[in-house]
Amino acid sequence: MPSWKNLLGTWLEGKGGNWLKQQAWRRFLAGVIFFIAFSTLTGINFLPENLNLKEGQVSPKDIPAPRSVVYQDKLATEALRQAAAARVLPAYELEPAVVQIVENNIESFLEKVRTAQRTPGLDEPGKINQIKANLPFTLNDQQARQFLLYDQETLNLIEESARQLVRQVLAEGVEENQLRTKQEKLSKTINELPVRKDQKESIKLLAINYLQPNKIHNEQETKRRLQAARDSVIPVTQTILRNQKIISKGDVVTKDHIQKLEALGLSRASSTWTVILGIGFLVLITMALVLTYIRQFLLGMYKRDNLLILLGIIVFITLLVARGVLAISFAGRPELSDIMGYLVPVAAGSMLIAVLLDSHLAIVVTVLLNTWLGVLTGFQLRFAFVGLVTGLVAIYSVSHLSQRSDLAKAGLINVGASAAVSIIAIGLLTGMDVYLMSWGLLIGLGNGILSAVLTGGVLPYLESAFGITSAVRLLELSNPNNPLLKRLLMEAPGTYHHSIIVGNMAEAAADAIGADSLLVRAGAYYHDIGKTKRPYFFIENQLSCENPHDKIAPSLSTLIITSHVRDGVELAREHKLPEKIIDIIEQHHGTSLVSYFYHRAKESDKHESVQEEAYRYDGPNPQTREAALVMLADSVEAGVRSRKQPSLGDLEGLVREIIKKKLEDGQLDECNVTLRDLHTIATAFMKVLTGIFHTRIEYPDQMLKEMERRKLKDANLRQ
């Protein structure tokens, strides 16, 4: 029965059916599966429960808050807005034409009086009727008769006084609701004038009756002020803690209960389908952003379906763990349940992506994961902030792993410490009490532990399932206690020592040109493991002066020498070494010429029938910079070892000559190594070789004897 791993490999290779052989269909199917999974995990909190509670209804059960949420209290906010609007005074504006209208009315009335006085043949009742005609106020006969008795000088005095008084009042502005008050004030002012009583009454009659409002209500400005007053009110926010009781069984439902249920998603005005569409769009946007980034900046990864699926699985695991952590609650301690968002190990997902895929991609995904963490915790920025800080610190911590303990250190120390510091900062900013802050620190440290455990536990399975060679795997392979390396040490010690030196040289060069130094070191350690099958056919393992190649033909020697590559590949596959290591083993000689045996064959061949191709390795040539570095370090170390006590100048010349020959032979044509890189590689090789082949002082025999004599003398004195 095939294992799940084989089935997964078959599916990824498109062998499960004709339609699955098309990459577009495979990707579409995977995308649909992940879309449904992500939407389910992130959207389950937001689906309304359809409690159907209405104001005035009796609650049939206790309803606790399923999560913490901060919401806007619309009822309290509206009350404050109405109070602010009530304090706004209506807007008025002065109408300048009113003053002129009032003065014209006073003048027009007195002109009618003068006209009546000058009309010949008109009796007194006729004159009175003429004055009273078309007046906007009531004028009795006695008052009209009084105006007819005034001479022109008195009429002018009355007119001027009335006009001045009205002008003064209108200059202050008269609103419609102030007219009666202004008339009363004007009446008191007229009573204080230094004129006869009848004149005061006449002035009062004109000024008071002709006075009218000149402050006109500006409805548009009043509305603007009302709206500005409402907008100036800061919305009232309320916090509901997880497991806090919203309404008890038997309570009468109020408007406040309804808005709390709506804030928690337990009673929504919108339909379930509206919520599902909203979650779906958010998930689609997130997936599109990540895929666009990968296609734009990580094209090699974009073309590999298994890596995209691996990314989806890591994100799914992170969200699943987040949901599990957020479901933790403490009975009777809602304040502790409310800070469980600090325990969500987003950093674990960040480390897995950085170690298995790409550190820059890990940054992008970390930002989006913490956005979703904010959504899952009721749009609370504090949890998203702590998750973002710990995730970025985790990525930085594992971006340059040098030993396996760095992975545990990244979680236990770096993530935990950064979470604790972030929680302290938020606590000080929000005024969190010491008790709750102390719990927050413990939870933050727990975040680091959980992240380290989750990363270390999941990493080997993901590596194995998806054929990923992570930095952690390379560190394990570089351990001298690895069974294959121990076998190399025991059966071919010279080759083992040679591999260690090649590893040091290649690693130094990789650091210098920005290649994968961990891969180079591990590849160098295993590049000659094929020599364990016939160790004494290789000169570094020959302890005696007898060389087995002296007894066999050069062609057979060449076959034995070149077969160590094929034997190494077989051993690597038998011990399940990563494909990247196997590629280095297979490519570390490329199609190089076994020159020693080739020239021996030519010297012994009298018919000149020796073909150069028969004395070359099978290849292929190095396809990566890492394989090229191992090839160059291998050749340089072998060449330098063949020289006895070379000078520093000879050493540098030999290094550059070997690299030049590899370049001219076309061994570096298929890898991305530039001429500048070759110069940097040679310099890095020299730094390592100088430390190995440094000058030693040769002590003469007489000096050695004198040193021994002094040692013996000192020993006798101490006795």
Side-chain angles (χ1 to χ4, degrees), residues 547-565:
N547 190 340
H549 290 288
D550 295 338
K551 301 178 182 180
I552 59 178
S555 58
L556 181 57
S557 295
T558 301
L559 182 62
I560 293 173
I561 293 296
T562 57
S563 65
H564 85 275
V565 174

Side-chain angles (χ1 to χ4, degrees), residues 477 484-485 488 499 519-532 561-591 617-624 626-628 630-631 634:
L477 292 173
L484 199 52
L485 288 182
L488 182 64
S499 299
L519 175 60
V520 166
R521 182 172 66 179
Y525 285 178
Y526 291 90
H527 79 285
D528 274 345
I529 56 171
K531 292 181 180 180
T532 56
I561 293 296
T562 57
S563 65
H564 85 275
V565 174
R566 182 175 62 257
D567 294 338
V569 171
E570 292 176 357
L571 273 174
R573 296 195 187 281
E574 180 182 338
H575 286 77
K576 298 180 180 180
L577 294 186
E579 284 298 324
K580 290 183 178 180
I581 301 294
I582 295 175
D583 290 340
I584 290 177
I585 295 172
E586 190 175 26
Q587 300 167 17
H588 81 275
H589 279 297
T591 57
Y617 285 90
D618 295 333
N621 289 334
Q623 304 295 305
T624 63
E626 289 75 18
V630 175
M631 166 187 274
D634 182 40

Side-chain angles (χ1 to χ4, degrees), residues 374-390:
V375 173
L376 291 175
T377 55
F379 300 96
Q380 297 195 57
L381 179 62
R382 53 179 178 158
F383 300 130
F385 174 76
V386 173
L388 180 62
V389 171
T390 56

Side-chain angles (χ1 to χ4, degrees), residues 3 7 100 164 197 312 317 379 447 466 569 587 611 685:
S3 65
L7 291 175
Q100 188 62 44
Q164 287 183 3
K197 183 178 180 181
I317 292 174
F379 300 96
N447 187 330
F466 291 89
V569 171
Q587 300 167 17
Q611 299 294 325
F685 285 172

Side-chain angles (χ1 to χ4, degrees), residues 279-327:
I279 292 295
F281 278 126
L282 287 177
V283 173
L284 280 177
I285 291 171
T286 304
M287 294 176 66
L289 286 173
V290 174
L291 288 176
T292 302
Y293 176 86
I294 295 173
R295 184 175 184 180
Q296 186 74 23
F297 300 104
L298 301 171
L299 188 58
M301 176 181 171
Y302 183 77
K303 294 178 180 179
R304 297 180 61 182
D305 292 348
N306 65 326
L307 297 185
L308 296 178
I309 292 174
L310 173 60
L311 175 61
I313 290 175
I314 293 174
V315 173
F316 177 79
I317 292 174
T318 306
L319 290 175
L320 185 63
V321 174
R323 288 305 309 270
V325 170
L326 293 175

Side-chain angles (χ1 to χ4, degrees), residues 25 37 60 124 269 273 280 303 321 328 383 421 550 599-600 608 700:
W25 278 108
E124 184 177 282
W273 287 108
K303 294 178 180 179
V321 174
I328 299 174
F383 300 130
V421 173
D550 295 338
H599 290 300
R600 263 188 59 184
E608 297 184 356

Side-chain angles (χ1 to χ4, degrees), residues 379-593:
F379 300 96
Q380 297 195 57
L381 179 62
R382 53 179 178 158
F383 300 130
F385 174 76
V386 173
L388 180 62
V389 171
T390 56
L392 294 179
V393 169
I395 294 169
Y396 174 77
S397 301
V398 301
S399 58
H400 295 92
L401 289 175
S402 60
Q403 51 189 352
R404 185 174 180 82
S405 61
D406 289 345
L407 186 62
K409 187 188 299 181
L412 295 175
I413 300 177
N414 297 345
V415 173
S418 61
V421 173
S422 301
I423 291 169
I424 290 175
I426 292 175
L428 295 175
L429 186 63
T430 58
M432 185 186 298
D433 60 78
V434 177
Y435 169 77
L436 202 57
M437 191 182 297
S438 301
W439 273 104
L441 290 178
L442 291 177
I443 291 175
L445 295 175
N447 187 330
I449 296 173
L450 184 59
S451 297
V453 171
L454 186 61
T455 303
V458 173
L459 183 61
Y461 296 100
L462 294 179
E463 284 180 324
S464 175
F466 291 89
I468 303 294
T469 306
S470 70
V472 176
R473 175 64 173 149
L474 293 174
L475 288 171
E476 291 175 345
L477 292 173
S478 301
N479 190 326
N481 291 321
N482 185 280
L484 199 52
L485 288 182
K486 292 179 73 173
R487 176 180 172 184
L488 182 64
L489 173 62
M490 298 301 296
E491 298 180 9
T495 300
Y496 178 84
H497 182 260
H498 158 75
S499 299
I500 296 299
I501 297 176
V502 170
N504 292 336
M505 294 171 58
E507 184 179 16
D511 287 332
I513 67 171
D516 190 339
S517 57
L518 275 178
L519 175 60
V520 166
R521 182 172 66 179
Y525 285 178
Y526 291 90
H527 79 285
D528 274 345
I529 56 171
K531 292 181 180 180
T532 56
K533 287 198 172 183
R534 305 175 191 86
Y536 296 108
F537 279 90
F538 299 91
I539 191 169
E540 67 267 21
N541 299 312
Q542 295 170 3
L543 302 180
S544 64
C545 296
E546 184 179 353
N547 190 340
H549 290 288
D550 295 338
K551 301 178 182 180
I552 59 178
S555 58
L556 181 57
S557 295
T558 301
L559 182 62
I560 293 173
I561 293 296
T562 57
S563 65
H564 85 275
V565 174
R566 182 175 62 257
D567 294 338
V569 171
E570 292 176 357
L571 273 174
R573 296 195 187 281
E574 180 182 338
H575 286 77
K576 298 180 180 180
L577 294 186
E579 284 298 324
K580 290 183 178 180
I581 301 294
I582 295 175
D583 290 340
I584 290 177
I585 295 172
E586 190 175 26
Q587 300 167 17
H588 81 275
H589 279 297
T591 57
S592 299
L593 179 67

